[in-house]
């Protein structure tokens, strides 16, 4: 089961806070993944198509429980994609128009509502129930082991912005983006995703995301440290190689025999340990020397080479 399916399934099992929360949830389900057909004389047919079992169960259960309406249920299996497609239909029946008004799909004059009616989300708990229903119907939550991303796919720009504003009322910033024939209400911030899922009741999913976030943070810290170590090793290896080349120039200029004892000792030590950093080289010196002390000996060698051979004055440190 994908992480999105886990989140949807958990949300579908959340209990309502008040007697109107189920209406808000059902309204969101019908609006996000439903299609309304209208015939003359006030005849309607509402169809909800989904590949998610949680949507089908919630839609049928709440329709029977709240609206007391007859439903038609069809299951189709795609041979190509090997997934089930659930089709829930509310056929034309005496109380269907009243139900559509109750759900905020139609207004009292029979006109299609473009946004989210206030009476459906008048209470704070109903607002969360509507967002929960939208997530169940059209939500996508990326696997937290990868990038953090949550989005709800909806139809209609006005409705998309209304849903983003509704999410904003729970202190979560959502943006709207056009996706060909639909719109995506999306959230990229991990903190905002956690806050929203926590508000709508997906506590198990929140715990899973937080655990993945900790693991990801540790991995990133380890990777940064390893990269820093590799970079330091690369710099040390490069510096050591340049110091070996500097000693070769000292030898080529015939300066080795006349070097002061400190510089001669450095050359011997570096030739014996060509791969060590200056810090490690100083630790094995007798007596031990600081990195700064050895670095100054390198600078003194460079000045000797520059003075003795004007054509070999390239700095190698």
């Amino acid at each position: 089961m994908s992480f999105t399916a886990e989140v949807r399934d958990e949300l579908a099992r959340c209990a309502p806070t008040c007697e109107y929360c189920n209406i808000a949830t059902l309204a969101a389900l019908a609006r996000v993944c439903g299609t309304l057909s209208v015939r003359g004389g006030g005849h309607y047919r509402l169809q909800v198509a989904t590949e998610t079992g949680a949507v089908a169960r919630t839609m049928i259960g709440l329709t029977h429980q709240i609206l007391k309406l007859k439903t038609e249920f069809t299951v189709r299996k795609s041979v190509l994609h090997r997934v089930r497609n659930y089709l829930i239909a509310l056929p034309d029946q005496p109380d269907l128009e009243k139900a559509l008004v109750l759900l905020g799909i139609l207004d009292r004059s029979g006109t299609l509502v473009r946004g989210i009616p206030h009476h459906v989300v008048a209470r704070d708990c109903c607002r969360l129930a509507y967002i929960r229903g939208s997530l169940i119907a059209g939500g996508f939550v990326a696997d937290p082991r990868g990038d953090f991303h949550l989005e709800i796919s909806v139809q209609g720009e006005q409705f998309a912005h209304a849903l983003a504003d509704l999410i904003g009322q729970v202190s979560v910033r959502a943006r709207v983006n056009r996706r060909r024939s639909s719109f995506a209400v999306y959230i990229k911030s991990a903190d905002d995703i956690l806050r929203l899922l926590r508000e709508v009741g997906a506590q198990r999913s929140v715990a899973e995301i937080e655990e993945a976030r900790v693991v990801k943070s540790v991995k990133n810290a380890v990777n940064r440290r390893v990269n820093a170590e590799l970079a330091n090793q690369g710099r040390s290896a490069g510096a050591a190689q340049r110091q070996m080349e500097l000693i070769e120039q000292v030898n080529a200029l015939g300066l080795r025999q006349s070097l002061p004892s400190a510089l001669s000792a450095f050359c011997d030590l570096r030739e014996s340990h060509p791969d060590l950093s200056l810090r490690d080289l100083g630790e094995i010196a007798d007596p031990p020397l600081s990195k700064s002390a050895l670095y100054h000996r390198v600078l003194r060698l460079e000045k000797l080479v520059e003075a003795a051979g004007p054509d070999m004055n390239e700095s190698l440190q």
Side-chain angles (χ1 to χ4, degrees):
M1 182 183 290
S2 69
F3 188 69
T4 294
E6 291 179 10
V7 174
R8 287 180 170 184
D9 185 70
E10 182 180 11
L11 292 176
R13 300 177 189 279
C14 290
T17 302
C18 78
E19 58 183 317
Y20 300 106
C21 285
N22 280 338
I23 296 176
T25 299
L26 184 57
L29 290 173
R31 185 59 185 272
V32 172
C33 57
T35 302
L36 182 65
S37 302
V38 183
R39 292 190 292 115
H43 297 283
Y44 303 94
R45 179 181 176 86
L46 179 65
Q47 289 190 147
V48 172
T50 179
E51 296 178 356
T52 306
V55 175
R57 291 194 305 270
T58 306
M59 184 71 193
I60 293 174
L62 293 183
T63 299
H64 292 167
Q65 176 187 338
I66 299 171
L67 305 180
K68 312 297 183 184
L69 294 177
K70 180 177 67 175
T71 59
E72 297 172 354
F73 180 58
T74 306
V75 181
R76 298 173 182 173
K77 188 172 183 179
S78 171
V79 177
L80 179 62
H81 301 290
R82 296 183 180 181
V83 295
R84 286 189 175 89
N85 185 275
Y86 305 97
L87 181 65
I88 305 100
L90 279 66
D92 186 36
Q93 48 195 299
D95 291 330
L96 180 57
E97 184 174 1
K98 292 180 182 179
L100 295 174
V101 173
L102 177 66
L103 297 177
I105 297 172
L106 298 176
D107 62 20
R108 294 186 182 278
S109 66
T111 302
L112 188 66
V113 177
R114 302 291 180 183
I116 302 175
H118 177 71
H119 77 270
V120 178
V121 292
R123 300 185 180 188
D124 291 343
C125 56
C126 295
R127 182 186 307 129
L128 293 175
Y130 196 94
I131 297 171
R132 185 185 305 123
S134 300
L135 282 165
I136 296 170
F140 166 79
V141 186
D143 190 320
R145 291 172 295 182
D147 294 332
F148 294 108
H149 183 81
L150 179 150
E151 71 174 51
I152 306 170
S153 179
V154 301
Q155 299 293 325
E157 184 174 8
Q158 187 172 339
F159 177 70
H161 284 286
L163 182 57
D165 290 342
L166 193 68
I167 293 173
Q169 293 178 35
V170 294
S171 301
V172 174
R173 185 181 182 185
R175 296 180 174 87
V176 175
N177 189 26
R178 182 185 290 273
R179 298 279 176 81
R180 295 184 180 179
S181 59
S182 64
F183 292 85
V185 180
Y186 70 94
I187 304 168
K188 298 288 287 185
S189 164
D191 289 334
D192 281 343
I193 292 172
L194 286 169
R195 186 179 299 112
L196 182 63
L197 292 179
R198 190 178 291 111
E199 289 286 346
V200 297
Q203 303 302 332
R204 187 182 67 238
S205 300
V206 167
E208 192 169 341
I209 292 175
E210 287 179 330
E211 181 181 353
R213 193 180 186 186
V214 170
V215 171
K216 189 184 297 184
S217 176
V218 171
K219 284 184 177 179
N220 289 339
V222 170
N223 287 336
R224 284 194 298 270
R225 188 163 185 173
V226 169
N227 290 337
E229 284 293 329
L230 290 175
N232 288 336
Q233 290 176 11
R235 286 192 292 270
S236 296
Q241 179 60 33
R242 290 191 292 274
Q243 290 158 22
M244 289 294 294
E245 293 171 357
L246 177 61
I247 294 171
E248 290 176 3
Q249 292 185 42
V250 168
N251 294 335
L253 290 169
L255 302 176
R256 185 67 172 264
Q257 300 303 320
S258 60
L259 288 178
S261 59
L263 297 187
S264 180
F266 168 77
C267 292
D268 294 339
L269 193 61
R270 171 51 76 197
E271 287 177 328
S272 300
H273 305 281
D275 299 326
L276 294 184
S277 67
L278 282 180
R279 184 183 302 278
D280 294 337
L281 204 64
E283 290 178 355
I284 64 173
D286 186 18
L289 297 168
S290 67
K291 177 181 176 181
S292 176
L294 291 180
Y295 179 68
H296 280 89
R297 296 186 185 189
V298 174
L299 294 179
R300 288 171 63 189
L301 282 176
E302 287 183 346
K303 290 180 179 179
L304 287 174
V305 170
E306 289 175 0
D311 295 332
M312 304 177 68
N313 60 357
E314 181 180 357
S315 175
L316 298 170
Q317 175 58 35

